[in-house]
Amino acid sequence: MFEHLKEQPADKILALMQAYKDDPRDTKIDLGVGVYKDAEGRTPIMRAVKAAEKEWWNEEETKAYVGLAGDPAFSDAMIRLILDDAAPRDAVAAVATPGGTGAVRQAFDLVKMANPGARVFVSDPTWPNHLSILKHMGIEHVPYRYFDNETGGVDFDGMMQDLDGVKAGDVILLHGCCHNPTGANLTMQQWGDVTDLANAKGAIPMIDIAYQGFGDGLDADAAGTRHVVASCPEVLIAASCSKNFGIYRERTGLLMAVCQDSARRPTTQANLAYLNRQNYSFPPDHGARLVSLVLTDDALRADWQAELEEVRRGMLGLREQLAQELRKLSGSDRFGFIAQHRGMFSRLGLDADKVEALRKDHAIYMVGDSRINIAGLNARTVPLLAQAIIDVGA
Ligand code: LMR
């Protein structure tokens, strides 16, 4: 049987991780995979998470199953964190999932069950795994223009023109904040326009929110999502705790389906639980438990927010430093967008040859589309990157 299997294309981000590991040069700089690193290059366990882990080690008395939807305390806390009071709680169906990717996958599965003909409109570019999962599942996707390579900003006119092609029942996939891979984000006015368009066409917004707290702050980063939820009858939201709680390997995510009213919730909830059962049965509990402990304990929550804010400000400082260095070296403001972008990533707009030269000649690793992970830098390496960008002729 296995002889019928075909080679699979390597995931570009994961292949880059391996190539970086294999590079013997000690000057190498990793700006690839979206994992937060501090100035020493470590991915720390957040203080509040560690404290919750100790508490839970003392308290936990069984490893028996929790429930198909996961621990309701986790769903409640996450719904509150992301939606605040944008939707009545009894209209929101939710299940814990293995990471944000698990939530994305379950959301597409739900779409397929509810409306097999639905197409998913995706930003061009988007996180490559969105496309890969859609392709694997046989769901048609339609790209919409998003990034203007010249300005480093959002091509909003292009986006709206392309979204004009959505039909009732199609899904519009949006990034809640900190767009991956570009770092360019919608303004609140633009969120309003996209919401109006979705409602006028009868399309369903789906929001992937994986970096809440990494851009402009916890509430500001959720403002677009809250607006959509408050304005549209049905919304899907795939949330990740990997980055803002730093619990990557615990695989902690939540899928929410915001229903038009509480009457639609029980069947939707049952379908989400059904999907969990079919795909992996019970979702992992450990990371979800840590998140709900942190979010529901005032002291832990305050400490988590303070540390998250340090992380956010650190990345903003690196953005500003990089934009400033490039301004100095290039004698122009053409990289000024780096300071305007938000989140972990910025797409620099370099062509593949320059990205390759940066890797070969300078041991600087970034994704082939010139996406950099800002957190892979520190005050010492920012000038090295800026100089290398100029040296490769950008
Ligand atoms: C990324 O975009 O680098 C992260 O979301 C990690 C991943 O799984 O690709």
Side-chain angles (χ1 to χ4, degrees):
M1 172 173 83
F2 296 157
E3 70 272 17
H4 300 302
L5 294 175
K6 294 193 209 79
E7 287 297 324
Q8 293 297 338
D11 181 283
K12 291 196 177 74
I13 297 173
L14 304 187
L16 189 73
M17 248 169 109
Q18 190 57 45
Y20 174 80
K21 253 192 193 155
D22 295 343
D23 189 329
R25 291 174 285 183
D26 56 12
T27 53
K28 62 187 179 179
I29 301 176
D30 179 15
L31 308 179
V33 68
V35 172
Y36 172 75
K37 281 179 270 179
D38 64 16
E40 280 77 47
R42 287 181 308 234
T43 303
I45 300 177
M46 295 179 88
R47 295 182 300 259
V49 168
K50 196 74 179 166
E53 209 151 34
K54 281 194 187 134
E55 188 183 319
W56 189 236
W57 186 84
N58 277 320
E59 270 176 34
E60 189 176 41
E61 283 174 348
T62 176
K63 295 282 186 191
Y65 296 126
V66 175
L68 275 184
D71 178 15
F74 169 67
S75 305
D76 287 347
M78 285 292 289
I79 290 170
R80 187 88 191 151
L81 178 72
I82 298 168
L83 301 188
D84 194 18
D85 56 4
R89 176 65 188 88
D90 63 3
V92 184
V95 285
T97 55
T101 307
V104 167
R105 168 71 199 242
Q106 298 295 71
F108 291 154
D109 242 333
L110 191 77
V111 168
K112 221 174 152 178
M113 275 166 67
N115 181 10
R119 301 170 301 164
V120 177
F121 280 62
V122 291
S123 64
D124 180 15
T126 190
W127 183 46
N129 212 22
H130 285 151
L131 304 178
S132 177
I133 296 173
L134 286 167
K135 194 166 157 230
H136 175 69
M137 296 180 73
I139 299 176
E140 186 184 346
H141 77 268
V142 183
Y144 60 82
R145 275 170 284 171
Y146 185 80
F147 189 64
D148 182 338
N149 228 24
E150 291 303 308
T151 64
V154 175
D155 173 7
F156 192 64
D157 290 343
M159 176 175 177
M160 291 300 275
Q161 277 166 27
D162 292 347
L163 287 182
D164 198 52
V166 293
K167 297 202 180 73
D170 283 341
V171 172
I172 302 176
L173 178 56
L174 301 157
H175 296 224
C177 60
C178 309
H179 185 268
N180 179 6
T182 69
N185 297 295
L186 299 179
T187 62
M188 280 314 290
Q189 172 70 46
Q190 292 168 338
W191 274 105
D193 292 351
V194 173
T195 305
D196 292 347
L197 180 140
N199 279 337
K201 300 272 184 183
I204 317 295
M206 170 173 158
I207 300 174
D208 184 349
I209 182 158
Y211 296 89
Q212 189 185 0
F214 272 31
D216 289 310
L218 280 170
D219 285 323
D221 289 349
T225 302
R226 290 173 189 172
H227 176 77
V228 172
V229 165
S231 319
C232 298
E234 292 181 343
V235 185
L236 286 163
I237 301 166
S240 170
C241 302
S242 297
K243 328 278 163 147
N244 53 4
F245 287 87
I247 49 172
Y248 305 85
R249 64 176 66 168
E250 301 297 354
R251 310 312 298 136
T252 308
L254 185 78
L255 171 60
M256 291 176 238
V258 182
C259 307
Q260 79 184 37
D261 54 42
S262 58
R264 286 275 166 82
R265 181 178 174 274
T267 308
T268 310
Q269 181 67 42
N271 275 269
L272 293 183
Y274 166 85
L275 280 175
N276 266 8
R277 183 66 170 155
Q278 306 321 304
N279 286 328
Y280 39 75
S281 206
F282 299 91
D285 182 64
H286 188 70
R289 189 70 55 168
L290 302 180
V291 168
S292 59
L293 285 173
V294 169
L295 289 178
T296 54
D297 177 294
D298 288 348
L300 290 181
R301 187 181 176 120
D303 191 44
W304 168 69
Q305 284 190 203
E307 191 171 357
L308 183 60
E309 192 58 12
E310 282 163 33
V311 163
R312 185 182 81 79
R313 284 183 190 278
M315 287 191 292
L316 262 186
L318 290 166
R319 288 188 173 285
E320 274 153 23
Q321 191 192 351
L322 181 58
Q324 181 65 28
E325 285 289 334
L326 283 164
R327 195 171 295 127
K328 211 169 67 194
L329 293 175
S330 70
S332 83
D333 202 26
R334 65 179 201 275
F335 290 102
F337 60 81
I338 294 171
Q340 307 307 317
H341 287 170
R342 284 296 178 271
M344 208 175 221
F345 306 118
S346 268
R347 184 187 255 205
L348 298 180
L350 310 180
D351 58 36
D353 291 353
K354 294 192 173 70
V355 172
E356 173 70 4
L358 284 164
R359 191 178 61 75
K360 263 182 62 204
D361 305 336
H362 299 269
I364 295 174
Y365 284 74
M366 63 183 69
V367 183
D369 63 357
S370 76
R371 181 193 87 168
I372 59 168
N373 172 5
I374 290 286
L377 293 165
N378 60 33
R380 184 186 61 80
T381 54
V382 164
L384 302 177
L385 171 64
Q387 187 61 57
I389 289 174
I390 301 298
D391 287 352
V392 299

